[in-house]
Coordinates of all heavy atoms in Angstrom, one line a residue:
M1 N 0.8 -1.2 0.0 CA 0.0 0.0 0.0 C 0.9 1.3 0.0 O 0.4 2.3 -0.4 CB -0.9 0.0 1.2 CG -2.0 -1.0 1.1 SD -3.1 -1.1 2.5 CE -3.8 0.5 2.5
G2 N 2.1 1.2 0.5 CA 3.0 2.3 0.5 C 2.6 3.4 1.6 O 3.0 4.5 1.4
A3 N 1.9 3.0 2.6 CA 1.6 4.0 3.7 C 2.2 3.5 5.0 O 2.4 2.3 5.2 CB 0.1 4.1 3.8
D4 N 2.4 4.4 5.9 CA 2.9 4.1 7.2 C 2.3 5.0 8.2 O 1.5 6.0 7.8 CB 4.4 4.1 7.3 CG 5.0 5.5 7.1 OD1 4.2 6.4 6.7 OD2 6.2 5.6 7.2
L5 N 2.6 4.8 9.5 CA 2.0 5.6 10.5 C 3.1 6.2 11.3 O 3.5 5.8 12.4 CB 1.1 4.8 11.4 CG 0.3 5.5 12.5 CD1 -0.7 6.5 11.8 CD2 -0.5 4.5 13.3
P6 N 3.8 7.3 10.9 CA 4.9 7.9 11.6 C 4.4 8.7 12.8 O 3.3 9.1 12.9 CB 5.5 8.9 10.6 CG 4.3 9.3 9.7 CD 3.4 8.1 9.7
A7 N 5.3 8.8 13.8 CA 5.0 9.6 15.0 C 4.9 11.1 14.5 O 5.7 11.6 13.7 CB 6.1 9.5 16.0
S8 N 3.9 11.8 15.0 CA 3.8 13.2 14.6 C 4.7 14.1 15.4 O 5.2 13.8 16.5 CB 2.3 13.7 14.9 OG 2.0 13.6 16.2
N9 N 5.1 15.2 14.8 CA 5.9 16.3 15.5 C 4.9 17.2 16.1 O 4.2 18.0 15.5 CB 6.8 16.9 14.4 CG 7.8 17.9 15.1 OD1 7.7 18.2 16.3 ND2 8.7 18.3 14.3
K10 N 4.8 17.2 17.5 CA 3.8 18.0 18.2 C 4.3 19.4 18.5 O 5.3 19.6 19.0 CB 3.4 17.3 19.4 CG 2.8 15.9 19.2 CD 2.6 15.1 20.5 CE 2.1 13.7 20.3 NZ 3.1 12.9 19.6
R11 N 3.5 20.4 18.1 CA 3.8 21.8 18.4 C 2.5 22.5 18.8 O 1.5 22.2 18.3 CB 4.4 22.4 17.1 CG 5.7 21.9 16.7 CD 6.4 22.7 15.7 NE 7.7 22.1 15.4 CZ 8.3 22.2 14.3 NH1 7.8 23.0 13.3 NH2 9.5 21.6 14.1
A12 N 2.7 23.5 19.6 CA 1.5 24.2 20.0 C 1.0 25.0 18.9 O 1.7 25.6 18.1 CB 1.9 25.2 21.2
V13 N -0.3 25.1 18.8 CA -0.9 25.8 17.7 C -0.6 27.3 17.8 O -0.7 28.1 16.8 CB -2.5 25.6 17.6 CG1 -2.8 24.2 17.2 CG2 -3.2 26.0 18.8
E14 N -0.3 27.8 19.0 CA 0.0 29.2 19.3 C 1.4 29.5 19.0 O 1.8 30.7 19.1 CB -0.3 29.6 20.7 CG -1.7 29.3 21.2 CD -2.0 27.9 21.7 OE1 -1.0 27.1 21.7 OE2 -3.1 27.6 22.1
Q15 N 2.2 28.6 18.6 CA 3.7 28.8 18.4 C 3.9 29.8 17.3 O 3.3 29.8 16.2 CB 4.4 27.5 18.0 CG 5.9 27.7 17.9 CD 6.6 26.4 17.5 OE1 6.2 25.8 16.5 NE2 7.5 26.0 18.3
D16 N 4.7 30.8 17.6 CA 5.1 31.9 16.7 C 6.5 31.6 16.1 O 7.5 31.7 16.9 CB 5.1 33.2 17.5 CG 5.4 34.4 16.7 OD1 5.8 34.3 15.5 OD2 5.3 35.5 17.2
A17 N 6.6 31.3 14.9 CA 7.8 31.0 14.2 C 8.9 32.0 14.4 O 10.1 31.8 14.6 CB 7.6 30.6 12.7
E18 N 8.5 33.3 14.3 CA 9.4 34.4 14.4 C 9.9 34.5 15.8 O 11.1 34.7 16.1 CB 8.7 35.7 14.0 CG 9.6 37.0 14.2 CD 10.9 36.9 13.3 OE1 11.0 36.1 12.4 OE2 11.8 37.8 13.6
A19 N 9.1 34.3 16.8 CA 9.6 34.3 18.2 C 10.5 33.2 18.5 O 11.5 33.3 19.2 CB 8.4 34.2 19.2
V20 N 10.3 32.0 17.9 CA 11.2 30.9 18.0 C 12.6 31.2 17.4 O 13.6 31.0 18.0 CB 10.7 29.6 17.4 CG1 11.7 28.5 17.4 CG2 9.4 29.1 18.2
R21 N 12.6 31.8 16.2 CA 13.8 32.2 15.5 C 14.6 33.2 16.4 O 15.8 33.1 16.6 CB 13.5 32.9 14.2 CG 14.7 33.2 13.4 CD 14.5 34.2 12.3 NE 14.1 35.5 12.7 CZ 14.9 36.4 13.3 NH1 16.2 36.1 13.5 NH2 14.4 37.6 13.7
V22 N 13.9 34.2 17.0 CA 14.5 35.2 17.8 C 15.2 34.6 19.0 O 16.3 34.9 19.4 CB 13.5 36.3 18.2 CG1 14.1 37.2 19.3 CG2 13.1 37.2 17.0
W23 N 14.4 33.6 19.6 CA 15.0 32.9 20.8 C 16.3 32.2 20.4 O 17.3 32.3 21.1 CB 14.0 31.9 21.3 CG 14.6 30.9 22.2 CD1 14.9 29.6 21.9 CD2 15.0 31.1 23.6 NE1 15.5 29.0 23.0 CE2 15.6 29.9 24.1 CE3 15.0 32.2 24.5 CZ2 16.1 29.7 25.3 CZ3 15.5 32.0 25.7 CH2 16.1 30.8 26.1
H24 N 16.3 31.4 19.3 CA 17.4 30.7 18.9 C 18.6 31.6 18.5 O 19.7 31.3 19.0 CB 17.1 29.8 17.7 CG 16.5 28.5 18.1 ND1 17.2 27.4 18.6 CD2 15.2 28.0 18.1 CE1 16.4 26.4 18.9 NE2 15.2 26.8 18.6
E25 N 18.3 32.5 17.7 CA 19.4 33.3 17.1 C 19.9 34.5 18.0 O 21.0 35.0 17.8 CB 19.0 33.8 15.8 CG 18.8 32.7 14.8 CD 18.3 33.2 13.4 OE1 18.3 34.4 13.2 OE2 17.9 32.3 12.6
E26 N 19.0 35.0 18.8 CA 19.4 36.2 19.6 C 19.4 36.0 21.1 O 20.4 36.1 21.8 CB 18.5 37.4 19.3 CG 18.6 37.8 17.8 CD 17.5 38.8 17.4 OE1 17.0 39.5 18.3 OE2 17.2 38.9 16.2
T27 N 18.2 35.6 21.7 CA 18.1 35.5 23.1 C 19.0 34.4 23.7 O 19.8 34.7 24.6 CB 16.6 35.2 23.5 OG1 15.8 36.2 22.8 CG2 16.4 35.2 25.0
W28 N 18.9 33.2 23.1 CA 19.7 32.1 23.6 C 21.2 32.4 23.5 O 22.0 32.1 24.4 CB 19.3 30.8 22.9 CG 20.3 29.7 23.3 CD1 21.1 29.0 22.5 CD2 20.5 29.1 24.6 NE1 21.8 28.0 23.2 CE2 21.5 28.1 24.5 CE3 20.0 29.4 25.9 CZ2 21.9 27.4 25.6 CZ3 20.5 28.7 27.0 CH2 21.4 27.7 26.8
R29 N 21.6 32.9 22.4 CA 23.1 33.2 22.2 C 23.5 34.2 23.3 O 24.6 34.1 23.8 CB 23.3 33.8 20.8 CG 23.2 32.7 19.8 CD 23.6 33.2 18.4 NE 23.4 32.1 17.5 CZ 23.5 32.2 16.2 NH1 23.7 33.4 15.6 NH2 23.4 31.2 15.4
A30 N 22.7 35.2 23.6 CA 23.1 36.2 24.6 C 23.2 35.6 26.0 O 24.1 35.9 26.8 CB 22.1 37.4 24.6
I31 N 22.2 34.7 26.3 CA 22.2 34.0 27.6 C 23.5 33.2 27.7 O 24.2 33.2 28.7 CB 21.0 33.2 27.8 CG1 19.7 34.1 27.9 CG2 21.1 32.2 29.0 CD1 18.4 33.3 27.8
R32 N 23.7 32.4 26.7 CA 24.9 31.5 26.7 C 26.2 32.3 26.8 O 27.1 31.9 27.6 CB 24.9 30.7 25.4 CG 25.8 29.6 25.3 CD 25.6 28.8 24.1 NE 26.8 28.2 23.6 CZ 27.0 27.6 22.6 NH1 26.0 27.3 21.8 NH2 28.1 27.1 22.2
A33 N 26.3 33.4 26.1 CA 27.6 34.2 26.1 C 27.8 34.8 27.5 O 28.9 34.8 28.0 CB 27.5 35.3 25.1
R34 N 26.7 35.3 28.1 CA 26.8 35.9 29.5 C 27.3 34.8 30.5 O 28.1 35.1 31.3 CB 25.5 36.5 29.9 CG 25.7 37.2 31.2 CD 24.5 38.0 31.6 NE 24.6 38.5 32.9 CZ 23.7 39.2 33.6 NH1 22.6 39.4 33.0 NH2 23.9 39.6 34.8
A35 N 26.6 33.6 30.4 CA 27.0 32.6 31.3 C 28.5 32.2 31.1 O 29.2 32.0 32.1 CB 26.1 31.4 31.1
K36 N 28.9 32.1 29.9 CA 30.3 31.8 29.6 C 31.2 32.8 30.2 O 32.3 32.5 30.8 CB 30.6 31.6 28.1 CG 30.3 30.2 27.6 CD 30.8 30.1 26.2 CE 31.3 28.7 25.9 NZ 31.7 28.5 24.5
A37 N 30.9 34.1 30.0 CA 31.7 35.2 30.4 C 31.8 35.2 32.0 O 32.9 35.6 32.5 CB 31.2 36.5 29.9
D38 N 30.8 34.9 32.6 CA 30.7 34.9 34.1 C 31.1 33.6 34.7 O 31.0 33.4 35.9 CB 29.3 35.2 34.6 CG 28.9 36.7 34.3 OD1 29.8 37.5 33.9 OD2 27.7 36.9 34.3
N39 N 31.6 32.6 33.9 CA 31.9 31.3 34.3 C 30.8 30.6 35.1 O 30.9 30.0 36.1 CB 33.2 31.3 35.2 CG 33.8 29.9 35.3 OD1 33.7 29.1 34.4 ND2 34.5 29.7 36.4
G40 N 29.6 30.9 34.5 CA 28.4 30.4 35.1 C 27.8 29.2 34.5 O 28.4 28.5 33.6
E41 N 26.6 28.8 34.8 CA 25.8 27.7 34.3 C 24.5 28.2 33.8 O 24.0 29.2 34.3 CB 25.6 26.6 35.3 CG 26.9 25.9 35.8 CD 26.6 24.8 36.8 OE1 25.6 24.9 37.5 OE2 27.5 23.9 36.8
V42 N 23.9 27.4 32.9 CA 22.5 27.7 32.5 C 21.7 26.5 33.0 O 22.0 25.4 32.6 CB 22.4 27.9 31.0 CG1 20.9 28.2 30.6 CG2 23.2 29.1 30.6
L43 N 20.6 26.8 33.7 CA 19.7 25.7 34.2 C 18.3 26.0 33.7 O 17.9 27.1 33.7 CB 19.7 25.6 35.7 CG 21.1 25.4 36.4 CD1 20.9 25.5 37.9 CD2 21.6 24.0 36.0
F44 N 17.7 24.9 33.2 CA 16.3 25.0 32.9 C 15.5 24.3 33.9 O 15.7 23.1 34.2 CB 16.0 24.4 31.5 CG 16.7 25.2 30.4 CD1 18.0 24.8 30.0 CD2 16.0 26.2 29.8 CE1 18.6 25.5 28.9 CE2 16.6 26.9 28.7 CZ 17.9 26.6 28.3
G45 N 14.6 24.9 34.6 CA 13.8 24.3 35.7 C 12.4 24.0 35.3 O 11.8 24.7 34.4
A46 N 11.8 23.0 36.0 CA 10.4 22.7 35.8 C 9.8 22.2 37.1 O 10.6 21.6 37.9 CB 10.3 21.6 34.7
Q47 N 8.6 22.4 37.3 CA 8.0 21.8 38.5 C 6.6 21.3 38.1 O 6.0 21.7 37.2 CB 7.8 22.9 39.6 CG 7.1 24.1 39.3 CD 7.1 25.1 40.4 OE1 7.8 25.0 41.3 NE2 6.2 26.1 40.3
A48 N 6.1 20.4 38.9 CA 4.8 19.7 38.7 C 4.2 19.3 40.0 O 4.9 19.1 41.0 CB 5.0 18.5 37.8
G49 N 2.9 19.3 40.1 CA 2.3 18.8 41.3 C 1.0 18.0 40.9 O 0.4 18.3 39.9
I50 N 0.7 17.0 41.7 CA -0.5 16.3 41.6 C -1.2 16.1 42.9 O -0.6 16.2 44.0 CB -0.2 14.8 41.0 CG1 0.7 14.0 41.9 CG2 0.3 14.9 39.6 CD1 0.8 12.6 41.5
S51 N -2.5 16.0 42.9 CA -3.3 15.8 44.1 C -4.3 14.7 43.9 O -4.8 14.5 42.7 CB -4.0 17.1 44.4 OG -4.9 17.0 45.5
S52 N -4.7 14.0 45.0 CA -5.6 12.9 44.8 C -7.0 13.3 45.2 O -7.8 12.4 45.5 CB -5.1 11.8 45.8 OG -5.3 12.2 47.1
D53 N -7.4 14.6 45.1 CA -8.7 15.0 45.3 C -9.7 14.2 44.4 O -9.5 14.2 43.2 CB -8.9 16.5 45.1 CG -8.2 17.3 46.1 OD1 -7.8 16.8 47.2 OD2 -8.1 18.5 46.0
Q54 N -10.7 13.7 45.0 CA -11.7 12.9 44.2 C -12.7 13.9 43.7 O -13.2 14.8 44.4 CB -12.3 11.9 45.1 CG -13.4 11.0 44.3 CD -13.9 9.9 45.2 OE1 -13.4 9.6 46.2 NE2 -15.0 9.4 44.8
V55 N -13.1 13.7 42.4 CA -14.1 14.6 41.8 C -15.4 13.7 41.7 O -15.4 12.7 41.0 CB -13.7 15.1 40.4 CG1 -14.8 15.9 39.8 CG2 -12.4 15.9 40.5
T56 N -16.4 14.1 42.4 CA -17.6 13.3 42.4 C -18.7 14.2 41.7 O -19.0 15.3 42.2 CB -18.1 13.0 43.8 OG1 -17.1 12.3 44.5 CG2 -19.4 12.1 43.8
G57 N -19.2 13.7 40.6 CA -20.3 14.4 39.9 C -21.6 13.9 40.2 O -21.9 13.5 41.4
R58 N -22.5 14.0 39.3 CA -23.9 13.5 39.5 C -23.9 12.0 39.5 O -23.1 11.3 38.9 CB -24.8 14.1 38.5 CG -24.9 15.6 38.5 CD -25.8 16.0 37.3 NE -26.0 17.5 37.5 CZ -27.1 18.0 37.8 NH1 -28.2 17.2 38.1 NH2 -27.3 19.3 37.9
T59 N -25.0 11.5 40.2 CA -25.2 10.0 40.1 C -26.7 9.8 40.2 O -27.5 10.7 40.4 CB -24.5 9.3 41.3 OG1 -24.6 7.9 41.1 CG2 -25.1 9.7 42.7
W60 N -27.1 8.6 40.0 CA -28.5 8.2 40.0 C -29.0 8.0 41.4 O -28.3 7.6 42.3 CB -28.7 6.9 39.2 CG -28.4 7.1 37.7 CD1 -27.2 6.8 37.1 CD2 -29.3 7.6 36.7 NE1 -27.3 7.1 35.8 CE2 -28.6 7.7 35.5 CE3 -30.6 8.1 36.7 CZ2 -29.1 8.1 34.3 CZ3 -31.1 8.6 35.6 CH2 -30.4 8.6 34.4
G61 N -30.3 8.3 41.6 CA -31.0 8.1 42.9 C -32.5 8.1 42.7 O -33.0 8.4 41.6
A62 N -33.1 7.7 43.8 CA -34.6 7.7 43.7 C -35.1 9.1 43.5 O -34.6 10.0 44.1 CB -35.1 7.1 45.0
E63 N -36.2 9.2 42.7 CA -36.7 10.5 42.4 C -37.2 11.2 43.7 O -37.8 10.6 44.6 CB -37.9 10.3 41.5 CG -38.5 11.6 41.0 CD -39.6 11.5 40.0 OE1 -39.7 10.4 39.4 OE2 -40.3 12.4 39.7
G64 N -36.8 12.5 43.9 CA -37.2 13.2 45.1 C -36.2 13.1 46.2 O -36.4 13.7 47.3
T65 N -35.2 12.3 46.1 CA -34.2 12.2 47.2 C -32.8 12.6 46.6 O -32.5 12.5 45.4 CB -34.1 10.7 47.7 OG1 -33.6 9.9 46.6 CG2 -35.4 10.2 48.2
T66 N -31.9 13.0 47.5 CA -30.6 13.3 47.2 C -29.7 12.1 47.4 O -29.6 11.6 48.5 CB -30.1 14.5 48.0 OG1 -30.9 15.6 47.8 CG2 -28.6 14.9 47.6
P67 N -29.1 11.6 46.3 CA -28.2 10.4 46.5 C -27.0 10.7 47.3 O -26.5 11.9 47.3 CB -27.9 10.0 45.1 CG -28.1 11.2 44.3 CD -29.1 12.0 45.0
I68 N -26.5 9.8 48.0 CA -25.2 10.0 48.8 C -24.1 9.2 48.1 O -24.2 8.0 47.9 CB -25.4 9.5 50.3 CG1 -26.5 10.3 51.0 CG2 -24.1 9.5 51.0 CD1 -26.8 9.8 52.3
A69 N -23.1 9.9 47.7 CA -22.0 9.3 47.0 C -20.9 9.1 48.1 O -20.3 10.1 48.5 CB -21.5 10.1 45.9
R70 N -20.6 7.9 48.5 CA -19.6 7.7 49.5 C -18.2 7.8 48.9 O -18.0 7.3 47.8 CB -19.7 6.3 50.2 CG -21.0 6.2 50.9 CD -21.2 4.8 51.6 NE -20.1 4.4 52.3 CZ -19.9 4.7 53.6 NH1 -20.8 5.4 54.3 NH2 -18.8 4.2 54.3
R71 N -17.3 8.5 49.6 CA -15.9 8.7 49.1 C -15.0 8.9 50.3 O -15.5 9.2 51.4 CB -15.8 9.9 48.1 CG -16.1 11.2 48.8 CD -16.1 12.3 47.8 NE -16.0 13.6 48.5 CZ -15.3 14.6 48.0 NH1 -14.7 14.5 46.9 NH2 -15.2 15.7 48.7
T72 N -13.8 8.7 50.1 CA -12.8 8.8 51.1 C -12.5 10.3 51.4 O -12.6 11.1 50.5 CB -11.5 8.1 50.8 OG1 -10.6 8.2 51.9 CG2 -10.8 8.6 49.6
G73 N -12.1 10.6 52.6 CA -11.7 11.9 52.9 C -10.1 12.0 52.9 O -9.6 13.1 53.2
N74 N -9.5 10.9 52.7 CA -8.0 10.9 52.7 C -7.5 11.5 51.4 O -8.0 11.1 50.3 CB -7.5 9.4 52.8 CG -7.9 8.8 54.1 OD1 -8.0 9.6 55.1 ND2 -8.1 7.5 54.2
R75 N -6.6 12.4 51.5 CA -6.0 13.0 50.3 C -4.5 13.1 50.5 O -4.0 13.1 51.6 CB -6.6 14.4 50.1 CG -8.1 14.4 49.7 CD -8.6 15.7 49.3 NE -8.8 16.7 50.4 CZ -9.8 16.7 51.2 NH1 -10.7 15.8 51.1 NH2 -9.9 17.6 52.1
F76 N -3.8 13.2 49.4 CA -2.4 13.4 49.4 C -2.0 14.2 48.2 O -2.8 14.4 47.2 CB -1.6 12.1 49.4 CG -1.6 11.4 48.1 CD1 -0.6 11.6 47.1 CD2 -2.6 10.5 47.8 CE1 -0.7 11.0 45.9 CE2 -2.7 9.8 46.6 CZ -1.7 10.1 45.6
S77 N -0.9 14.8 48.3 CA -0.4 15.6 47.1 C 1.2 15.4 47.0 O 1.8 15.1 48.0 CB -0.7 17.0 47.2 OG 0.0 17.6 48.3
V78 N 1.7 15.5 45.9 CA 3.1 15.3 45.6 C 3.6 16.4 44.7 O 2.9 16.8 43.7 CB 3.4 13.9 44.9 CG1 4.9 13.8 44.5 CG2 3.0 12.8 45.7
N79 N 4.6 17.1 45.1 CA 5.2 18.1 44.3 C 6.6 17.7 43.9 O 7.3 17.1 44.7 CB 5.3 19.5 45.0 CG 3.9 20.0 45.4 OD1 3.0 20.0 44.5 ND2 3.6 20.3 46.6
A80 N 7.0 18.1 42.7 CA 8.4 17.7 42.2 C 9.0 18.9 41.5 O 8.2 19.6 40.8 CB 8.3 16.5 41.3
M81 N 10.3 19.1 41.6 CA 11.0 20.1 40.9 C 12.3 19.6 40.4 O 12.9 18.8 41.1 CB 11.2 21.3 41.8 CG 11.8 22.5 41.1 SD 11.8 23.9 42.3 CE 12.3 25.1 41.2
S82 N 12.6 19.9 39.2 CA 13.9 19.4 38.6 C 14.6 20.5 37.8 O 13.9 21.5 37.3 CB 13.7 18.2 37.8 OG 12.9 18.5 36.6
D83 N 15.9 20.4 37.6 CA 16.6 21.3 36.7 C 17.4 20.5 35.7 O 17.8 19.4 36.1 CB 17.6 22.1 37.6 CG 17.0 23.2 38.4 OD1 16.0 23.8 37.9 OD2 17.4 23.5 39.5
V84 N 17.6 21.0 34.6 CA 18.4 20.4 33.6 C 19.6 21.4 33.3 O 19.3 22.5 33.0 CB 17.7 20.1 32.3 CG1 18.6 19.6 31.2 CG2 16.5 19.2 32.5
R85 N 20.8 20.9 33.5 CA 22.0 21.7 33.3 C 22.4 21.7 31.8 O 22.5 20.6 31.2 CB 23.1 21.3 34.2 CG 24.4 22.1 34.0 CD 25.5 21.5 35.0 NE 26.7 22.2 34.7 CZ 27.6 21.7 33.9 NH1 27.5 20.6 33.3 NH2 28.8 22.4 33.7
Y86 N 22.6 22.9 31.2 CA 23.0 22.9 29.8 C 24.5 23.1 29.8 O 25.1 24.0 30.5 CB 22.3 24.1 29.1 CG 22.8 24.2 27.7 CD1 22.3 23.4 26.7 CD2 23.8 25.2 27.3 CE1 22.7 23.5 25.4 CE2 24.2 25.3 26.0 CZ 23.7 24.4 25.1 OH 24.1 24.5 23.8
V87 N 25.2 22.3 29.1 CA 26.7 22.3 29.0 C 27.0 23.4 28.0 O 26.6 23.2 26.8 CB 27.3 21.0 28.6 CG1 28.8 21.1 28.5 CG2 26.9 19.9 29.7
L88 N 27.7 24.4 28.4 CA 27.9 25.6 27.5 C 28.7 25.3 26.3 O 28.6 26.1 25.3 CB 28.5 26.7 28.3 CG 27.6 27.3 29.4 CD1 28.4 28.3 30.3 CD2 26.3 27.9 28.9
D89 N 29.6 24.3 26.3 CA 30.4 24.0 25.1 C 29.8 23.2 24.1 O 30.3 22.9 23.0 CB 31.7 23.4 25.6 CG 32.5 24.3 26.5 OD1 32.5 25.6 26.2 OD2 33.2 23.9 27.4
E90 N 28.5 22.7 24.3 CA 27.8 21.9 23.3 C 27.0 22.8 22.3 O 26.8 24.0 22.6 CB 26.9 20.9 24.0 CG 27.6 19.9 24.8 CD 26.6 18.9 25.5 OE1 25.4 19.1 25.3 OE2 27.1 18.0 26.1
E91 N 26.6 22.2 21.2 CA 25.8 22.9 20.2 C 24.5 23.2 20.8 O 24.0 22.6 21.7 CB 25.6 22.0 19.0 CG 26.9 21.8 18.2 CD 27.4 23.1 17.7 OE1 26.7 23.9 17.1 OE2 28.6 23.4 17.8
P92 N 23.8 24.3 20.3 CA 22.5 24.7 20.8 C 21.5 23.5 20.7 O 21.5 22.8 19.8 CB 22.1 25.8 19.9 CG 23.4 26.3 19.4 CD 24.3 25.1 19.3
M93 N 20.6 23.5 21.7 CA 19.6 22.5 21.7 C 18.5 22.9 20.7 O 18.4 24.0 20.4 CB 19.0 22.3 23.1 CG 18.4 23.5 23.7 SD 17.9 23.2 25.3 CE 19.4 23.2 26.2
S94 N 17.7 21.9 20.3 CA 16.6 22.2 19.4 C 15.3 22.0 20.2 O 15.2 21.2 21.1 CB 16.6 21.3 18.2 OG 16.5 20.0 18.6
F95 N 14.3 22.7 19.8 CA 12.9 22.6 20.4 C 11.9 22.1 19.4 O 12.0 22.4 18.3 CB 12.5 23.9 20.9 CG 13.4 24.5 22.0 CD1 14.5 25.3 21.7 CD2 13.2 24.1 23.3 CE1 15.3 25.8 22.6 CE2 14.1 24.6 24.3 CZ 15.1 25.4 23.9

């Protein structure tokens, strides 16, 4: 048949090609040059959090009565933060 199913290259629909070009060619180069001049590092940070709150919507019950949806009151949350160190002597990364 001559067809395949390749993985798609995912990009935000709001992505601005000119802003990406400016980042690569101007902003990133300036950040990298300053870090090198100051003998510094460039770190990219990210954080995420999740919570176990239960979402209870509508349910069925006898007409004229309010149904009781039993659920736990126990909850927990987890937060994580990480950094990625960019090695200044390597080629620029791609996005």
Side-chain angles (χ1 to χ4, degrees):
M1 291 178 60
D4 64 355
L5 187 61
S8 61
N9 188 348
K10 298 170 185 69
R11 293 189 180 157
V13 295
E14 302 87 359
Q15 186 180 53
D16 180 351
E18 177 61 13
V20 172
R21 185 198 65 74
V22 169
W23 164 256
H24 277 283
E25 296 178 10
E26 299 173 23
T27 308
W28 172 242
R29 288 183 181 170
I31 292 169
R32 190 172 148 185
R34 181 172 178 187
K36 272 186 145 179
D38 292 344
N39 198 27
E41 294 180 335
V42 178
L43 301 174
F44 293 91
Q47 60 183 11
I50 60 169
S51 176
S52 68
D53 291 347
Q54 180 176 343
V55 178
T56 305
R58 294 176 175 255
T59 188
W60 294 96
E63 188 174 343
T65 64
T66 302
I68 298 173
R70 296 180 50 89
R71 64 185 199 144
T72 180
N74 297 330
R75 293 188 284 282
F76 72 91
S77 63
V78 176
N79 297 310
M81 186 171 188
S82 67
D83 287 324
V84 176
R85 179 177 173 268
Y86 179 78
V87 179
L88 295 173
D89 295 328
E90 292 182 359
E91 289 299 312
M93 62 184 72
S94 62
F95 296 92

